[in-house]
Amino acid sequence: MKFFTKQLLLAFILINVNLVSGQEGDESSENKFDFAQDDHYLNIKIGGDFVQPMGDTFTGDNLKSSGGFNLELSFNLFETPILLGARFSNSSHDVIDQSLVGNYDETFNSFIGGFAGYQFFSRQKLRLTPSIGVGHVAYKQSINSNSFRDSGTTFWVNGEVSYNFVKWFALYGNVTLQNDYLKMDVPAELESYFKSGHFVRFGLGVKFVL
Amino acid sequence: MGKLFLVASFISLLMADCEPNIENDKRVIIKGEIVDPQANPIQAIEVTTSVEEYVLGKTTSNSDGSFEMVAPESYDESFLIAINVDAENNYTSAKIFRDEDEIGRPKIYDLGAVTLRPTSNFTLTTTRNSTTSDHINVQINYLATSCVYDFNNGLQEDPSQCYEQNYISRTTNEINSNLDLQLKVMRDIPLQITYQIDEEPATTIEVTPNQQNFEYEIFY
């Protein structure tokens, strides 16, 4: 009984010491942000993507991976970590088997839409920003310069890590899961093949905070 | 400068209108089977679908004669499915035009069994043996090696547009005293050769090319 009492007392002391240290740490971290809160109006992100088609539809089954481009404009909502913005991305993919889609060598995928995100550690150098977005997507291809397109709606989920060297300049890396849903008029046996397209995009770029 | 710009814009608009439209957000399936007159499958036969010079889809028949491809659609009146056209092999060709009632209707162009007949590379040569300056006129009557079909809820064959009667005629002259005519003709189907040497009565003979490469020579 005496032994257990000493053990319990020691555990109680240790727990309290930790709680007090934590509180002191919380109080001191208020003064340890890398950047002061200030007014800024616009975030501009420009970067390149490596785009990998996925799934068993016409994208994952019949398109090759390629490079792409990404441009984002966003702003913080009322100085909160909530981000609202617009994104434009594109990529061009070679066709593997033309007898499955038509007599063309490549398709040009582009989408534009709005997104909402949340910046974790918004005043630190290293930040995490998950976001979700929705927009319009189009696949453009041409046969002897006679072009046509397949279009629809896209939804994407994005996870970004950025490092701010200074208040106005950062590098970012992100992973985006892009899911396209097309309004294609096709025979019933091609419905599941053409109605959706999926990509994973690995991006790197720079961010300017104005 | 302003007038030049207007003229250039007008010409551009005209050219844009001339390009056949490929439909957005649409694909069709073209499928069928290529067989010979004995219903044996024929492989490696090229099948294309096109509007004017724009080839929308292309594939070749499999070892069992079947083919299937996905292609964009066009509602242009020049829409054509071509089978073995301009090919170097020894089979006839087929052209399938879409009936105007079918525009926008089919999602699948199921051609069923398309029969191609064997052909022969026929060569007719003339050789002048005499020392006189005789001239020879040669006319060959033969069946064309192509068949035209109409697609209306399936393949519709029009006998009047299949393997039509054709002829070719040549005459020697001072410069070319010998002829060398090369034709692609139906194999095992007789063709008629009518030749006339100067003012002599014309002679008609019947020749049946029964091999992949068939040669016939006329001496005069």
mmCIF file of all heavy atoms in Angstrom, chain A residues 24-49:
data_model
loop_
_atom_site.group_PDB
_atom_site.id
_atom_site.type_symbol
_atom_site.label_atom_id
_atom_site.label_comp_id
_atom_site.label_asym_id
_atom_site.label_seq_id
_atom_site.Cartn_x
_atom_site.Cartn_y
_atom_site.Cartn_z
ATOM 1 N N GLU A 24 2.982 26.805 -20.146
ATOM 2 C CA GLU A 24 4.030 27.818 -20.335
ATOM 3 C C GLU A 24 4.430 27.850 -21.812
ATOM 4 O O GLU A 24 4.624 28.905 -22.380
ATOM 5 C CB GLU A 24 5.250 27.481 -19.476
ATOM 6 C CG GLU A 24 5.043 27.812 -18.006
ATOM 7 C CD GLU A 24 6.255 27.402 -17.178
ATOM 8 O OE1 GLU A 24 7.159 26.733 -17.734
ATOM 9 O OE2 GLU A 24 6.296 27.745 -16.011
ATOM 10 N N GLY A 25 4.512 26.638 -22.428
ATOM 11 C CA GLY A 25 4.846 26.600 -23.852
ATOM 12 C C GLY A 25 3.791 27.309 -24.687
ATOM 13 O O GLY A 25 4.096 28.048 -25.608
ATOM 14 N N ASP A 26 2.472 27.053 -24.385
ATOM 15 C CA ASP A 26 1.400 27.727 -25.128
ATOM 16 C C ASP A 26 1.512 29.225 -24.959
ATOM 17 O O ASP A 26 1.361 29.976 -25.926
ATOM 18 C CB ASP A 26 0.032 27.259 -24.630
ATOM 19 C CG ASP A 26 -0.268 25.837 -25.115
ATOM 20 O OD1 ASP A 26 0.429 25.401 -26.048
ATOM 21 O OD2 ASP A 26 -1.171 25.183 -24.562
ATOM 22 N N GLU A 27 1.753 29.653 -23.815
ATOM 23 C CA GLU A 27 1.845 31.101 -23.600
ATOM 24 C C GLU A 27 3.014 31.675 -24.389
ATOM 25 O O GLU A 27 2.901 32.708 -25.035
ATOM 26 C CB GLU A 27 2.041 31.384 -22.108
ATOM 27 C CG GLU A 27 0.773 31.160 -21.290
ATOM 28 C CD GLU A 27 1.068 31.230 -19.802
ATOM 29 O OE1 GLU A 27 2.126 31.747 -19.428
ATOM 30 O OE2 GLU A 27 0.221 30.763 -19.017
ATOM 31 N N SER A 28 4.159 30.953 -24.426
ATOM 32 C CA SER A 28 5.320 31.510 -25.121
ATOM 33 C C SER A 28 5.158 31.378 -26.630
ATOM 34 O O SER A 28 5.679 32.197 -27.381
ATOM 35 C CB SER A 28 6.602 30.808 -24.674
ATOM 36 O OG SER A 28 6.522 29.433 -25.001
ATOM 37 N N SER A 29 4.409 30.337 -27.170
ATOM 38 C CA SER A 29 4.279 30.176 -28.624
ATOM 39 C C SER A 29 3.485 31.306 -29.247
ATOM 40 O O SER A 29 3.571 31.567 -30.430
ATOM 41 C CB SER A 29 3.633 28.837 -28.958
ATOM 42 O OG SER A 29 2.277 28.847 -28.553
ATOM 43 N N GLU A 30 2.637 31.997 -28.442
ATOM 44 C CA GLU A 30 1.930 33.167 -28.965
ATOM 45 C C GLU A 30 2.912 34.168 -29.521
ATOM 46 O O GLU A 30 2.617 34.908 -30.442
ATOM 47 C CB GLU A 30 1.118 33.824 -27.828
ATOM 48 C CG GLU A 30 -0.189 33.099 -27.506
ATOM 49 C CD GLU A 30 -1.214 33.214 -28.614
ATOM 50 O OE1 GLU A 30 -1.192 34.242 -29.334
ATOM 51 O OE2 GLU A 30 -2.019 32.297 -28.801
ATOM 52 N N ASN A 31 4.106 34.245 -28.979
ATOM 53 C CA ASN A 31 5.081 35.212 -29.423
ATOM 54 C C ASN A 31 6.076 34.606 -30.390
ATOM 55 O O ASN A 31 7.037 35.255 -30.756
ATOM 56 C CB ASN A 31 5.855 35.763 -28.214
ATOM 57 C CG ASN A 31 4.934 36.430 -27.224
ATOM 58 O OD1 ASN A 31 3.993 37.103 -27.634
ATOM 59 N ND2 ASN A 31 5.175 36.211 -25.939
ATOM 60 N N LYS A 32 5.848 33.348 -30.829
ATOM 61 C CA LYS A 32 6.856 32.681 -31.637
ATOM 62 C C LYS A 32 6.379 32.375 -33.054
ATOM 63 O O LYS A 32 6.827 31.435 -33.679
ATOM 64 C CB LYS A 32 7.307 31.389 -30.953
ATOM 65 C CG LYS A 32 8.229 31.644 -29.774
ATOM 66 C CD LYS A 32 8.835 30.345 -29.280
ATOM 67 C CE LYS A 32 9.801 30.665 -28.127
ATOM 68 N NZ LYS A 32 10.342 29.457 -27.522
ATOM 69 N N PHE A 33 5.409 33.110 -33.651
ATOM 70 C CA PHE A 33 5.029 32.962 -35.045
ATOM 71 C C PHE A 33 6.172 33.501 -35.902
ATOM 72 O O PHE A 33 6.848 34.461 -35.560
ATOM 73 C CB PHE A 33 3.752 33.740 -35.362
ATOM 74 C CG PHE A 33 2.518 33.132 -34.753
ATOM 75 C CD1 PHE A 33 1.665 33.887 -33.971
ATOM 76 C CD2 PHE A 33 2.209 31.805 -34.956
ATOM 77 C CE1 PHE A 33 0.530 33.326 -33.416
ATOM 78 C CE2 PHE A 33 1.078 31.238 -34.405
ATOM 79 C CZ PHE A 33 0.236 32.006 -33.614
ATOM 80 N N ASP A 34 6.379 32.870 -37.077
ATOM 81 C CA ASP A 34 7.423 33.311 -37.972
ATOM 82 C C ASP A 34 7.072 34.645 -38.611
ATOM 83 O O ASP A 34 7.957 35.439 -38.932
ATOM 84 C CB ASP A 34 7.656 32.253 -39.059
ATOM 85 C CG ASP A 34 8.230 30.972 -38.458
ATOM 86 O OD1 ASP A 34 9.095 31.088 -37.577
ATOM 87 O OD2 ASP A 34 7.801 29.878 -38.865
ATOM 88 N N PHE A 35 5.779 34.847 -38.883
ATOM 89 C CA PHE A 35 5.364 36.062 -39.566
ATOM 90 C C PHE A 35 4.256 36.722 -38.775
ATOM 91 O O PHE A 35 3.387 36.057 -38.240
ATOM 92 C CB PHE A 35 4.874 35.765 -40.993
ATOM 93 C CG PHE A 35 5.895 35.027 -41.829
ATOM 94 C CD1 PHE A 35 5.691 33.700 -42.178
ATOM 95 C CD2 PHE A 35 7.056 35.651 -42.238
ATOM 96 C CE1 PHE A 35 6.630 33.011 -42.927
ATOM 97 C CE2 PHE A 35 8.003 34.968 -42.992
ATOM 98 C CZ PHE A 35 7.779 33.645 -43.337
ATOM 99 N N ALA A 36 4.280 38.056 -38.793
ATOM 100 C CA ALA A 36 3.209 38.787 -38.122
ATOM 101 C C ALA A 36 1.971 38.770 -38.993
ATOM 102 O O ALA A 36 2.041 38.670 -40.216
ATOM 103 C CB ALA A 36 3.662 40.219 -37.873
ATOM 104 N N GLN A 37 0.822 38.869 -38.311
ATOM 105 C CA GLN A 37 -0.438 38.959 -39.055
ATOM 106 C C GLN A 37 -0.462 40.285 -39.782
ATOM 107 O O GLN A 37 -0.180 41.327 -39.217
ATOM 108 C CB GLN A 37 -1.624 38.906 -38.059
ATOM 109 C CG GLN A 37 -2.983 38.906 -38.718
ATOM 110 C CD GLN A 37 -3.415 37.495 -39.137
ATOM 111 O OE1 GLN A 37 -2.953 36.528 -38.561
ATOM 112 N NE2 GLN A 37 -4.278 37.416 -40.109
ATOM 113 N N ASP A 38 -0.728 40.255 -41.056
ATOM 114 C CA ASP A 38 -0.787 41.519 -41.779
ATOM 115 C C ASP A 38 -1.859 41.427 -42.847
ATOM 116 O O ASP A 38 -2.479 40.380 -43.035
ATOM 117 C CB ASP A 38 0.575 41.864 -42.395
ATOM 118 C CG ASP A 38 0.986 40.849 -43.454
ATOM 119 O OD1 ASP A 38 0.316 39.790 -43.549
ATOM 120 O OD2 ASP A 38 1.944 41.093 -44.164
ATOM 121 N N ASP A 39 -2.046 42.501 -43.530
ATOM 122 C CA ASP A 39 -3.015 42.506 -44.620
ATOM 123 C C ASP A 39 -2.342 42.022 -45.887
ATOM 124 O O ASP A 39 -1.242 42.464 -46.222
ATOM 125 C CB ASP A 39 -3.541 43.929 -44.844
ATOM 126 C CG ASP A 39 -4.416 44.373 -43.684
ATOM 127 O OD1 ASP A 39 -5.028 43.498 -43.047
ATOM 128 O OD2 ASP A 39 -4.457 45.581 -43.429
ATOM 129 N N HIS A 40 -2.951 41.106 -46.548
ATOM 130 C CA HIS A 40 -2.521 40.810 -47.907
ATOM 131 C C HIS A 40 -3.749 40.454 -48.724
ATOM 132 O O HIS A 40 -4.793 40.107 -48.185
ATOM 133 C CB HIS A 40 -1.467 39.700 -47.953
ATOM 134 C CG HIS A 40 -1.986 38.365 -47.472
ATOM 135 N ND1 HIS A 40 -1.845 37.963 -46.175
ATOM 136 C CD2 HIS A 40 -2.618 37.376 -48.123
ATOM 137 C CE1 HIS A 40 -2.390 36.744 -46.045
ATOM 138 N NE2 HIS A 40 -2.867 36.381 -47.207
ATOM 139 N N TYR A 41 -3.625 40.652 -50.002
ATOM 140 C CA TYR A 41 -4.804 40.639 -50.844
ATOM 141 C C TYR A 41 -4.897 39.407 -51.729
ATOM 142 O O TYR A 41 -5.982 38.947 -52.033
ATOM 143 C CB TYR A 41 -4.824 41.886 -51.718
ATOM 144 C CG TYR A 41 -4.759 43.148 -50.908
ATOM 145 C CD1 TYR A 41 -3.562 43.835 -50.745
ATOM 146 C CD2 TYR A 41 -5.898 43.630 -50.264
ATOM 147 C CE1 TYR A 41 -3.514 44.971 -49.975
ATOM 148 C CE2 TYR A 41 -5.842 44.768 -49.507
ATOM 149 C CZ TYR A 41 -4.644 45.438 -49.361
ATOM 150 O OH TYR A 41 -4.593 46.569 -48.601
ATOM 151 N N LEU A 42 -3.760 38.905 -52.125
ATOM 152 C CA LEU A 42 -3.812 37.893 -53.172
ATOM 153 C C LEU A 42 -2.644 36.918 -53.052
ATOM 154 O O LEU A 42 -1.522 37.323 -52.743
ATOM 155 C CB LEU A 42 -3.729 38.597 -54.537
ATOM 156 C CG LEU A 42 -4.048 37.787 -55.788
ATOM 157 C CD1 LEU A 42 -5.502 37.329 -55.757
ATOM 158 C CD2 LEU A 42 -3.798 38.631 -57.035
ATOM 159 N N ASN A 43 -2.980 35.644 -53.232
ATOM 160 C CA ASN A 43 -1.942 34.621 -53.375
ATOM 161 C C ASN A 43 -1.901 34.187 -54.836
ATOM 162 O O ASN A 43 -2.949 33.886 -55.418
ATOM 163 C CB ASN A 43 -2.258 33.392 -52.508
ATOM 164 C CG ASN A 43 -2.474 33.740 -51.055
ATOM 165 O OD1 ASN A 43 -1.599 34.298 -50.404
ATOM 166 N ND2 ASN A 43 -3.653 33.441 -50.537
ATOM 167 N N ILE A 44 -0.739 34.172 -55.425
ATOM 168 C CA ILE A 44 -0.597 33.717 -56.810
ATOM 169 C C ILE A 44 0.356 32.533 -56.825
ATOM 170 O O ILE A 44 1.493 32.639 -56.356
ATOM 171 C CB ILE A 44 -0.026 34.821 -57.724
ATOM 172 C CG1 ILE A 44 -0.913 36.053 -57.692
ATOM 173 C CG2 ILE A 44 0.116 34.309 -59.155
ATOM 174 C CD1 ILE A 44 -0.314 37.240 -58.429
ATOM 175 N N LYS A 45 -0.147 31.407 -57.310
ATOM 176 C CA LYS A 45 0.684 30.203 -57.392
ATOM 177 C C LYS A 45 0.873 29.806 -58.851
ATOM 178 O O LYS A 45 -0.084 29.760 -59.607
ATOM 179 C CB LYS A 45 0.012 29.046 -56.659
ATOM 180 C CG LYS A 45 0.234 29.028 -55.167
ATOM 181 C CD LYS A 45 -0.638 28.010 -54.489
ATOM 182 C CE LYS A 45 -0.491 26.633 -55.098
ATOM 183 N NZ LYS A 45 -1.395 25.654 -54.465
ATOM 184 N N ILE A 46 2.105 29.536 -59.227
ATOM 185 C CA ILE A 46 2.419 29.060 -60.577
ATOM 186 C C ILE A 46 3.332 27.859 -60.435
ATOM 187 O O ILE A 46 4.331 27.915 -59.696
ATOM 188 C CB ILE A 46 3.137 30.138 -61.415
ATOM 189 C CG1 ILE A 46 2.269 31.378 -61.533
ATOM 190 C CG2 ILE A 46 3.469 29.611 -62.806
ATOM 191 C CD1 ILE A 46 2.966 32.533 -62.208
ATOM 192 N N GLY A 47 2.991 26.786 -61.181
ATOM 193 C CA GLY A 47 3.848 25.615 -61.063
ATOM 194 C C GLY A 47 3.635 24.605 -62.163
ATOM 195 O O GLY A 47 2.779 24.771 -63.031
ATOM 196 N N GLY A 48 4.427 23.552 -62.113
ATOM 197 C CA GLY A 48 4.309 22.447 -63.052
ATOM 198 C C GLY A 48 3.811 21.209 -62.335
ATOM 199 O O GLY A 48 3.963 21.081 -61.117
ATOM 200 N N ASP A 49 3.156 20.336 -63.117
ATOM 201 C CA ASP A 49 2.632 19.098 -62.557
ATOM 202 C C ASP A 49 3.193 17.905 -63.312
ATOM 203 O O ASP A 49 3.449 17.986 -64.520
ATOM 204 C CB ASP A 49 1.097 19.043 -62.707
ATOM 205 C CG ASP A 49 0.386 20.036 -61.821
ATOM 206 O OD1 ASP A 49 0.979 20.482 -60.838
ATOM 207 O OD2 ASP A 49 -0.780 20.364 -62.134
#
